[in-house]
Amino acid sequence: AQSVTQLDSHVSVSEGTPVLLRCNYSSSYSPSLFWYVQHPNKGLQLLLKYTSAATLVKGINGFEAEFKKSETSFHLTKPSAHMSDAAEYFCVVIPPSGTYKYIFGTGTRLKVLA
Amino acid sequence: EAQVTQNPRYLITVTGKKLTVTCSQNMNHEYMSWYRQDPGLGLRQIYYSMNVEVTDKGDVPEGYKVSRKEKRNFPLILESPSPNQTSLYFCASSSDMGNRYTFGSGTRLTVV
């Protein structure tokens, strides 16, 4: 069965410092992996997507994520946090079995301190 | 502009009073889905549709109905809402399996 675990429900960083949001997945096959961001009172916006091409995926707003099969991880990083990055972030896995059923992590709320 | 439109954005209703949340997309997407978002639980799929007249249950379908009579519309129906259906609901659409979803802005439902 497919599953995804976001290891931290809340992360706080100071503005200008690096961001690390952790995601581990469980999959019998090579999955597709996504990161979505949800700003307060907004819908979900795609940050980046991994689909078995390059293991380092660059997304919007300076975010990137690295797929590590040996660690079954897909952590999201950004070198320097901005106040506008404060939001909730969701790691999502899609099994490759011909279904478009998304499996969402429980989310990580990122707080950026001035 | 390509978008998924949900209405209403906010709704307060009473237990047992039937309601419908509408969802419409203008991208000619085949796949549409409804999710509910609850604190600490992430998003859970309620129902999805792979095309007109093709719908199936997600992880938490109890108490909900859907229909897909036209490609662009995918309404969510609560025949007899209960307080445990108080939640934030998202409609989403996608052009292909494994492809990105486009999400609506959400409907915050409160059942008292």
Side-chain angles (χ1 to χ4, degrees):
Chain A
Q2 321 292 331
S3 67
V4 58
T5 302
Q6 291 184 244
L7 297 160
D8 306 294
S9 59
H10 293 82
V11 170
S12 291
V13 301
S14 297
E15 190 175 23
T17 65
V19 175
L20 170 63
L21 305 182
R22 298 182 294 165
C23 172
N24 284 95
Y25 69 91
S26 170
S27 175
S28 303
Y29 308 95
S30 294
S32 294
L33 293 157
F34 295 64
W35 276 99
Y36 277 84
V37 60
Q38 183 182 29
H39 290 278
N41 300 312
K42 300 284 188 186
L44 282 83
Q45 179 185 18
L46 181 69
L47 270 180
L48 50 81
K49 172 183 177 182
Y50 167 77
T51 53
S52 76
T55 56
L56 183 62
V57 182
K58 293 190 184 299
I60 61 171
N61 301 333
F63 283 95
E64 62 182 36
E66 186 172 8
F67 174 73
K68 292 187 176 180
K69 188 174 181 179
S70 61
E71 299 176 9
T72 61
S73 69
F74 190 56
H75 301 334
L76 182 70
T77 60
K78 183 173 180 177
S80 176
H82 192 273
M83 296 297 288
S84 61
D85 295 327
E88 188 155 24
Y89 293 79
F90 292 95
C91 185
V92 182
V93 62
I94 304 176
S97 56
T99 175
Y100 80 125
K101 181 181 174 62
Y102 275 28
I103 299 170
F104 281 80
T106 52
T108 298
R109 188 167 295 278
L110 176 65
K111 188 174 182 180
V112 181
L113 307 170
Chain B
E1 180 190 353
Q3 60 184 358
V4 176
T5 303
Q6 291 179 233
N7 281 295
R9 289 292 307 276
Y10 301 91
L11 178 60
I12 301 175
T13 190
V14 296
T15 299
K17 185 177 181 182
K18 181 180 178 180
L19 67 91
T20 299
V21 184
T22 63
C23 173
S24 180
Q25 51 95 2
N26 62 0
M27 296 164 282
N28 203 37
H29 285 170
E30 291 187 344
Y31 303 94
M32 298 186 74
S33 187
W34 275 103
Y35 289 85
R36 61 176 289 174
Q37 182 181 12
D38 301 290
L41 297 177
L43 278 77
R44 294 178 293 167
Q45 191 178 49
I46 303 170
Y47 268 94
Y48 64 94
S49 169
M50 297 177 75
N51 213 326
V52 175
E53 302 291 2
V54 181
T55 64
D56 206 350
K57 297 177 181 178
D59 296 317
V60 288
E62 295 78 20
Y64 304 95
K65 284 175 56 177
V66 292
S67 69
R68 187 91 182 273
K69 293 184 169 56
E70 309 164 276
K71 200 172 189 178
R72 63 183 293 125
N73 295 323
F74 190 45
L76 179 70
I77 303 156
L78 285 73
E79 294 272 2
S80 183
S82 62
N84 65 12
Q85 292 178 298
T86 292
S87 187
L88 178 58
Y89 291 86
F90 286 100
C91 180
S93 72
S94 176
S95 60
D96 201 357
M97 285 187 280
N99 211 341
R100 57 165 288 183
Y101 267 128
T102 300
F103 284 85
S105 298
T107 295
R108 187 168 293 282
L109 172 66
T110 302
V111 183
V112 298

